[in-house]
Amino acid sequence: MVVEVFKTNVEEIKLSELLIQQLLNHFPDSRVNFDMEDCDKILRIEAEAIVPEKIIEVLNANGYSCEVLI
């Protein structure tokens, strides 16, 4: 399994739940969660293969910023 961590500007738990569902539609065998307590509003995705560009695209399409956290 690979883990990728992203910095986002998602502020609300309800919205994060909707985004998680959208991400799971694209990556059904992955584990997705947000850490809303972190100052960077961390999005973590664990999967066999991760396409960071697609994850960023999904969040951007919903009006949120998202970047790989190095």
Side-chain angles (χ1 to χ4, degrees), residues 12-62:
E12 298 177 32
I13 293 172
K14 290 276 189 200
L15 293 173
S16 71
E17 292 168 352
L18 293 172
L19 292 167
I20 288 170
Q21 284 305 313
Q22 288 186 21
L23 290 166
L24 288 172
N25 288 339
H26 291 282
F27 304 98
D29 295 326
S30 63
R31 294 178 57 194
V32 181
N33 66 59
F34 279 89
D35 182 353
M36 305 304 279
E37 300 290 320
D38 189 277
C39 64
D40 289 326
K41 307 303 181 206
I42 297 296
L43 165 63
R44 284 187 192 85
I45 300 184
E46 182 178 336
E48 289 295 326
I50 297 174
V51 182
E53 297 80 13
K54 184 62 179 174
I55 294 160
I56 293 167
E57 179 184 311
V58 170
L59 265 74
N60 289 172
N62 284 279

